[in-house]
Amino acid sequence: QPVLTQSSSASASLGSSVKLTCTLSSGHSSYIIAWHQQQPGKAPRYLMKLEGSGSYNKGSGVPDRFSGSSSGADRYLTISNLQSDDEADYYCETWDRNKRHWVFGGGTKVTVL
Amino acid sequence: EVQLVESGGGLVQPGGSLRLSCAASGLTFSSYSMNWVRQAPGKGLEWVSYISSSSSNIHYADSVKGRFTISRDNAKNSLYLQMNSLRDEDTAVYYCASAFYSSGWYVDYWGQGTLVTVSS
């Protein structure tokens, strides 16, 4: 079963950039993932699907400031020109094709300084 | 605009039952696979159950297998979760979420959630 590992927190200054990492467990480096944003007190929101090639597809209305990339088992979410609105929890998610279950990472809390 | 609206949450005693509903609009519901995902207070997201567009494939997390039943009514654009033998640890916000397949399955839309509290 794939396991998704995320750092618990990250911080960066208003207007700067932050790069979040989601690492797939051994044997699952080819899996696609999705990134989701959850602002305080709100439901999650789909940001993008990200493939091992680095190709990504964003959801409707997701700003250009959000981009994705990949390297081996690592999947990245980069937020440029950080805004106060970007302060949120960010979760990665994948599908276990063997057990046919969904798996979520533990989430990264982003603080905008 | 896609909208997923959950309802049916509330306070229930341990061992009790509750039925959640999710009304979908803005998407061709009968073509979409659907999930229930929950979030305990202050915790991360936990997948609960999946149902395919035609109800032919259904899967559950080990934590709810045998207690929860997912179903759908495509004529009513609605998804359901029957929860029996509820435990304290089932306390969470329950989200309805649609799933899309492109090189793999992933969640592409979320509802606003409904709170289930299991307590005596």
Side-chain angles (χ1 to χ4, degrees):
Chain A
Q1 173 174 341
V3 174
L4 300 174
T5 301
Q6 299 182 250
S7 299
S8 58
S9 64
S11 62
S13 301
L14 192 68
S16 68
S17 296
V18 67
K19 188 175 186 179
L20 309 183
T21 305
C22 173
T23 301
L24 287 150
S25 53
S26 176
H28 302 96
S29 60
S30 65
Y31 279 40
I32 69 150
I33 69 149
W35 283 104
H36 303 277
Q37 176 195 58
Q38 187 176 33
Q39 294 172 321
K42 293 191 174 182
R45 172 197 184 191
Y46 165 72
L47 292 177
M48 67 179 69
K49 177 203 85 168
L50 176 58
E51 302 197 21
S53 63
S55 170
Y56 61 94
N57 294 97
K58 292 196 293 187
S60 173
V62 176
D64 292 343
R65 304 184 293 103
F66 291 82
S67 62
S69 58
S70 297
S71 176
D74 291 332
R75 306 286 183 267
Y76 305 106
L77 173 69
T78 299
I79 313 171
S80 304
N81 188 19
L82 263 174
Q83 304 297 303
S84 54
D85 243 8
D86 299 330
E87 199 159 270
D89 293 321
Y90 292 83
Y91 293 92
C92 55
E93 164 241 320
T94 194
W95 176 66
D96 180 351
R97 62 189 70 164
N98 293 318
K99 291 189 70 175
R100 299 184 182 274
H101 287 190
W102 263 258
V103 176
F104 288 91
T108 297
K109 183 177 185 63
V110 169
T111 301
V112 179
L113 304 173
Chain B
E1 181 196 2
V2 173
Q3 282 202 314
L4 302 172
V5 181
E6 301 92 335
S7 60
L11 175 63
V12 60
Q13 292 188 334
S17 298
L18 214 53
R19 189 194 195 209
L20 306 183
S21 299
C22 170
S25 60
L27 76 170
T28 308
F29 182 74
S30 59
S31 299
Y32 261 87
S33 294
M34 300 294 295
N35 287 291
W36 286 100
V37 177
R38 69 184 181 184
Q39 187 172 36
K43 303 296 185 184
L45 301 170
E46 178 191 14
W47 172 76
V48 172
S49 183
Y50 160 90
I51 185 168
S52 62
S53 57
S54 64
S55 304
S56 59
N57 287 295
I58 287 175
H59 303 288
Y60 298 98
D62 291 342
S63 57
V64 306
K65 199 176 295 184
R67 300 187 299 122
F68 289 12
T69 302
I70 191 171
S71 62
R72 64 190 296 161
D73 185 337
N74 286 342
K76 294 183 178 180
N77 288 343
S78 293
L79 174 73
Y80 306 102
L81 186 68
Q82 177 66 44
M83 305 185 295
N84 298 332
S85 303
L86 283 162
R87 305 167 180 167
D88 290 351
E89 56 265 33
D90 295 318
T91 293
V93 175
Y94 284 73
Y95 295 102
C96 160
S98 60
F100 189 79
Y101 187 89
S102 174
S103 306
W105 286 101
Y106 60 96
V107 168
D108 63 346
Y109 291 103
W110 296 83
Q112 90 289 347
T114 187
L115 176 62
V116 172
T117 302
V118 183
S119 174
S120 53

